[in-house]
Amino acid sequence: MVYLSRLISDSHLDKEKEVHGSEAFSTSVYGSRWDIEPIPKYSLPDNEMPAKIAYKLIRDDLQLDGNPVLNLAAFLTTYMEEEAEKLMAENISKNFIDYEEYPMTVELQTRCVNIIANLFNAPKNDDAIGVSTVGSSEAMMLAVLAMKRLWKKRREAEGKPTDKPNIVMSASVQVCWEKAARYFEIEEKFVYLSEGKYILDPEKAVELVDENTIGIAVILGSTYTGHYEDVKAVNDLLLAKNKKTGWDVPIHVDAASGGFVAPFVNPDLVWDFRLELVRSINVSGHKYGLCYPGIGWALWKSKKYLPDELVFNINYLGSNQASFTLNFSKNASNVISQYYVLIRLGRQGFTSIMENLMGIADYLASRLEATKKFEILSDRNGNGVPLVAFRLKAKDIHYDEFDVAHRIREHQWIVPSYTMAPNIQHIKVLRVVVREDFSRERCDLFVADLMHTIDYLDKVDKETLHIKRNAGRSWKALKSISLMTFNSQSHKTNGVC
Amino acid sequence: MVFLSNAVSDTRLKDKNESGQALFSTCVYGSRWTKEPIPKYSLPEEEMPSHIAYKLIKDDLQLDGNPVLNLASFVTTYMEEEAEKLMAENLSKNFIDYEEYPVSVELQNRCVNIIARLFNAPMDNPEAEAMGVSTIGSSEAIILAVLAMKKRWQKRRIAEGKPTDKPNLVMAASVQVCWEKATRYLEIEEKFVFLTEGTYILDPVKAVELVDENTIGVCVILGSTYTGHYEDAKTVNELLKQKNEENGWDVSIHIDAASGGFVAPFVNPDLVWDFRLDLVRSINVSGHKYGLCYAGIGWAIWKSKEYLPEELIFNVNYLGSDQASFTLNFSKGAANVISQYYILIRLGRAGFTSIMKNLMEIADYLAQKLEDTNVFDILSDRNGNGLPLVAFKLKIKDIHYDEFDVAQRLRERGWIVPAYTMAPHTQHIKLMRVVVREDFSRERCDILLQDLMATVELLNKLDKDTIFKKRTSTANWNLLKSVTRATFGGVKNESHKTNGVC
């Protein structure tokens, strides 16, 4: 037959299907049978599917993920240069822990630790030590483990009980502090906030320290309001108390956000290893360290603050290494990306970026203030991380910050609203985090939309608002159907991050 | 001047622009960054162009090994192009941000569902549904499982008015190092069932014997890292059930299926090791081993809500969205979770079965060939009774070289085949291990065999002295490599293994 097309009969189709399966006559994504069948969700499908179909189906699903650019809620980096992304993609198959196989990758971690330790003014003659982690959660847990163990050893040497360790911290700590305390069975001694006082009160903190205190956690960059807590004051007061009592309570600085901001924008602020009692610091590479999610750093002033028993000497696939992490195998691409950012930007690059972000944050704060509708809770001029925490000025109106957040979501902006930490949970706040790609232009667009929102809410009546609130709640419940929720949480549940 | 070129004088060549770049070359190898040492110890003062940063780092990384010849690791080193593309496109997503990336999180849910069913989690009671979570790897999954077991045990003891200061965990001495980390960090005593010559896995009777009122659980390994064996979960279950009944206890079993979880169901479906057993309450599996994903994904599954104490779960309001969180890591990349989902739907049962059967066959083929040489003894099992790996040792005892020398010599040919000593109390046994991963084809296997035999031949010819010299020089070289990394004196009385054989 020359150039005559054959019509494929049904019986033929069936026969082909028997032989070739349903791909017989179409493996184009949308022509294939996988396009009309529900995507496998609950159990392993019996058969394979072609690679490009799997790719496209998943990609299509993921289109429903949000647009990170309008997400003003998260600190996490959402933009990296093309070269950085390329480098990550090329190294995505590497297992970081395999030192024998990937010695250079591990060498890059070492360089990052050196660079960051120096940035935090680790003493030059001592042997500061550090490790890459998946994020500040892991870093902070390692630091807590170290502090607990050191305290325990001292107590045992003194013949005293070790069953009631506690840690002093402000009630505005990020939720991972509470996880660490709970998982490692340490009592949390909170310094509660008060109206106008959104950060740790150094006096109250040191007052809470007793013989069972393993350490004080001080935050450089509160997640609620961006403030830097006064590490120096805590250090001075704690030094005095330690001297008086013969204790040796250390300070750990949670610099998750502030660690890559303060040194560039506020270099006179003394908060790091320059302070005597600061023995360990954590910082997130994926916040102002400008890397994609999955990289954090834990640093200790010296080897002596890392108890030997917690460090495992392992022979991994032929190579001796010291290991102190919670995760073992993990992807190498994140560590490599941090090194890229550090050498690509250098001090000058970081300073340029952070100064810009500061400038924009301050600009946003003053524009919001100028509307006379909002009160600013965060600090300015580089005294905190680049974010703006604000609340509604007027008290007796029929809407609140949560309504504003909800309504502005309809303009596609994600601006979270939340209640402050204990004991000022009656205060509600909105927060905009200024990330690397939040330009002045975008800022202006945001303010315009925010004012539209306020306008709308001012006009809308109480009833309509109430209906909207309930609708929002039920929709969320629907979304969460496959997620478990648990009851009864006695302390804050705001994992505001 | 029309069409006349300016020759650039020396002084001008040295000129730099405001940002300090040498004006006349920003091509990578013409730039000043090529001859200056790359920043290593402190933050460089100035920026450098992005393409230069990229190339300098890439060049450094060329010195990393070639994963294809690495026969030591279980961790996946090959994924399809489409999978890599999917991962690269989702690198910027923070998995924990449910509000922003609800679908990425939904994909985790689907994976948990699929894997829980694969492990025969009971599906008949909506009040007691299985639960699970994605982790960075089995280490995190295990720590979470141990936390859950410890807390459950504590609650029971407190209700009975009994002390809770001495929890312990029973396990084979051949557990992976992360078990020891978990017990040490969470202050739990390790009760080891030691190995004996010829018995390279947990002895169920001995294990259950060790269980006492302070035992929070028994760990059973599906796929020992030393020899690939599957420990006998069924027998442990039966014996433990009896003991529980006799004493009124409720000691659980946790299955460390890091490697075996994605092999046994396809190659050995009759093996009963999972949630079908009464006392198996939690299981961990690595997505990045035979789950066929790149490093950075593992799974922890619990039989039901009952085995996850509420106090350990945090209700977090993350950026406006309520979620229940039980992980050690918070923010992490979403790409790895997405890649696992890709694998599961791409392969399905048929795909996994094909791959695992192939790997089994190649492993058995390799074992057979090694045996045929009459130079090696095989310690691992065959026919799907263990992982697709071959653990072997030299047959002859009194020769002047050992397994470590063989490994060293093979390394010179590019192959990484680790040599290590067995777990306590069998440390006198040395062995080598080849892990058969997805991309270890029969062809590659034949080349390995060739090189292995050539190595043995050479070692047979070399005299004792030469071998000793080689050993010392290697030890020094390893030391040199480690100069920038801190080494610790090592814990005194490191009574158990330091082999983080994985």
Side-chain angles (χ1 to χ4, degrees), chain B residues 77-259:
Chain B
T77 48
Y78 161 76
M79 283 192 95
E80 286 174 324
E81 200 182 299
E82 286 84 353
E84 293 196 334
K85 206 155 69 149
L86 206 51
M87 288 184 83
E89 288 166 5
N90 289 283
L91 278 174
S92 65
K93 294 186 180 174
N94 181 9
F95 179 78
I96 208 70
D97 198 345
Y98 176 63
E99 190 68 19
E100 178 66 25
Y101 308 114
V103 179
S104 296
V105 175
E106 168 63 14
L107 297 193
Q108 174 196 254
N109 293 339
R110 295 181 194 172
C111 288
V112 168
N113 270 273
I114 292 175
I115 297 173
R117 276 193 169 75
L118 187 65
F119 295 166
N120 296 294
M123 288 295 159
D124 46 351
N125 181 5
E127 299 300 309
E129 286 170 344
M131 292 186 56
V133 78
S134 66
T135 60
I136 292 290
S138 276
S139 289
E140 184 186 357
I142 283 167
I143 292 178
L144 296 174
V146 171
L147 264 173
M149 287 194 286
K150 184 182 182 193
K151 184 60 67 148
R152 253 187 107 233
W153 170 83
Q154 267 178 347
K155 281 166 73 164
R156 272 174 78 93
R157 296 281 289 178
I158 290 172
E160 295 169 2
K162 297 195 177 139
T164 58
D165 56 325
K166 289 191 186 325
N168 69 55
L169 189 61
V170 174
M171 48 195 173
S174 52
V175 283
Q176 209 256 20
V177 70
C178 61
W179 278 97
E180 300 183 60
K181 274 188 182 178
T183 49
R184 206 178 284 182
Y185 295 165
L186 300 174
E187 291 163 357
I188 298 169
E189 186 197 335
E190 302 152 290
K191 285 189 129 190
F192 287 114
V193 179
F194 292 103
L195 309 189
T196 55
E197 183 117 21
T199 309
Y200 304 122
I201 52 173
L202 190 83
D203 177 328
V205 174
K206 287 197 188 148
V208 179
E209 248 169 62
L210 285 175
V211 170
D212 62 25
E213 57 173 329
N214 287 313
T215 305
I216 67 172
V218 178
C219 159
V220 181
I221 313 173
L222 193 78
S224 151
T225 47
Y226 285 84
T227 53
H229 285 97
Y230 296 147
E231 295 186 339
D232 190 349
K234 190 161 189 294
T235 309
V236 175
N237 185 68
E238 280 158 18
L239 294 170
L240 190 55
K241 257 176 106 167
Q242 264 180 331
K243 190 155 188 179
N244 275 343
E245 257 173 49
E246 271 163 24
N247 292 284
W249 297 335
D250 188 26
V251 184
S252 313
I253 297 176
H254 172 90
I255 307 282
D256 178 359
S259 313

Side-chain angles (χ1 to χ4, degrees), chain B residues 1-42:
Chain B
M1 319 228 184
V2 183
F3 302 116
L4 279 177
S5 307
N6 236 347
V8 184
S9 68
D10 277 346
T11 23
R12 270 224 298 164
L13 264 175
K14 290 208 184 90
D15 271 352
K16 293 181 182 198
N17 64 13
E18 266 158 23
S19 63
Q21 287 171 304
L23 279 176
F24 294 94
S25 178
T26 51
C27 77
V28 178
Y29 298 110
S31 75
R32 64 182 175 96
W33 290 282
T34 289
K35 22 170 226 176
E36 285 174 9
I38 198 172
K40 284 186 210 186
Y41 303 113
S42 54

Side-chain angles (χ1 to χ4, degrees), chain A residues 49 100 105 118 182 486, chain B residues 41 64 311 315 346 411:
Chain A
M49 69 168 79
E100 190 67 20
T105 300
N118 273 316
R182 206 179 287 181
F486 284 77
Chain B
Y41 303 113
D64 270 343
E311 303 86 348
N315 271 332
R346 157 76 176 104
R411 189 68 201 276

Side-chain angles (χ1 to χ4, degrees), chain A residues 39-46 48-49 51 54-55 58-59 61 64-68 71 76 81 83 86 90 92-95 98-105 107 110-111 114-115 118 129 134 137 145 148-149 152 178-179 182-183 185 264 292-293 303 308-310 312-317 321 323-329 331 339-340 343-349 409 414 476 479 482 484 486-487 489 493-495 497, chain B residues 38-41 43-48 50 53-54 57-58 60 63-67 70 75 80 82 85 89 91-94 97-104 106 109-110 113-114 117 131 136 139 147 150 154 181 184-185 187 288 294-295 305 310-320 324-330 333 341-342 345-351 411 416 481 484-485 487-488 490-491 498-500 502:
Chain A
I39 198 173
K41 287 185 208 182
Y42 304 113
S43 53
L44 200 59
D46 285 327
E48 297 187 34
M49 69 168 79
Y55 166 77
I58 296 179
R59 193 156 190 264
D61 258 0
L64 292 169
D65 269 344
N67 174 8
N71 177 3
L76 276 269
E81 285 174 324
E83 285 84 350
K86 205 157 65 150
E90 287 167 4
I92 210 163
S93 65
K94 294 185 181 176
N95 179 9
D98 198 344
Y99 176 62
E100 190 67 20
E101 180 64 28
Y102 309 115
M104 283 313 295
T105 300
E107 167 67 15
T110 306
R111 294 179 193 173
N114 272 276
I115 293 175
N118 273 316
I129 194 165
V134 171
S137 288
L145 269 174
K148 183 183 183 195
R149 185 58 63 115
K152 221 174 164 192
E178 297 183 64
K179 272 189 183 180
R182 206 179 287 181
Y183 293 166
E185 290 164 359
F264 306 109
Y292 284 148
K303 226 159 97 160
D308 263 356
E309 314 86 76
L310 295 181
F312 281 78
N313 276 327
I314 319 184
N315 183 290
Y316 185 72
L317 304 180
Q321 9 172 340
S323 164
F324 181 44
T325 48
L326 298 178
N327 298 296
F328 199 65
S329 294
N331 212 286
Y339 184 61
Y340 173 90
I343 72 170
R344 157 74 176 105
L345 294 177
R347 186 171 281 276
Q348 174 212 353
R409 188 72 197 274
I414 300 182
K476 280 216 165 112
K479 273 207 286 178
S482 46
M484 300 290 304
F486 284 77
N487 307 317
Q489 293 283 339
T493 52
N494 267 353
C497 318
Chain B
I38 198 172
K40 284 186 210 186
Y41 303 113
L43 199 58
E45 283 305 314
E46 294 157 355
E47 297 188 29
M48 69 168 79
S50 54
Y54 166 80
I57 297 179
K58 193 166 193 234
D60 256 0
L63 293 168
D64 270 343
N66 174 8
N70 177 2
V75 179
E80 286 174 324
E82 286 84 353
K85 206 155 69 149
E89 288 166 5
L91 278 174
S92 65
K93 294 186 180 174
N94 181 9
D97 198 345
Y98 176 63
E99 190 68 19
E100 178 66 25
Y101 308 114
V103 179
S104 296
E106 168 63 14
N109 293 339
R110 295 181 194 172
N113 270 273
I114 292 175
R117 276 193 169 75
M131 292 186 56
I136 292 290
S139 289
L147 264 173
K150 184 182 182 193
Q154 267 178 347
K181 274 188 182 178
R184 206 178 284 182
Y185 295 165
E187 291 163 357
H288 52 224
Y294 286 145
K305 212 160 104 165
E310 270 191 28
E311 303 86 348
L312 296 178
I313 316 273
F314 281 78
N315 271 332
V316 168
N317 183 289
Y318 184 72
L319 307 179
S325 165
F326 182 45
T327 48
L328 297 178
N329 300 294
F330 198 65
Y341 184 61
Y342 172 90
I345 72 170
R346 157 76 176 104
L347 294 177
R349 189 171 279 277
R411 189 68 201 276
I416 302 183
K481 275 203 286 177
T484 48
R485 301 165 65 244
T487 40
F488 282 74
V491 183
T498 51
N499 267 352
C502 315

Side-chain angles (χ1 to χ4, degrees), chain B residues 283-322:
Chain B
I283 301 178
N284 68 279
V285 66
S286 286
H288 52 224
K289 290 180 185 137
Y290 290 105
L292 304 176
C293 294
Y294 286 145
I297 180 75
W299 301 93
I301 318 270
W302 286 268
K303 198 173 214 158
S304 106
K305 212 160 104 165
E306 191 187 328
Y307 305 111
L308 251 191
E310 270 191 28
E311 303 86 348
L312 296 178
I313 316 273
F314 281 78
N315 271 332
V316 168
N317 183 289
Y318 184 72
L319 307 179
S321 198
D322 279 321

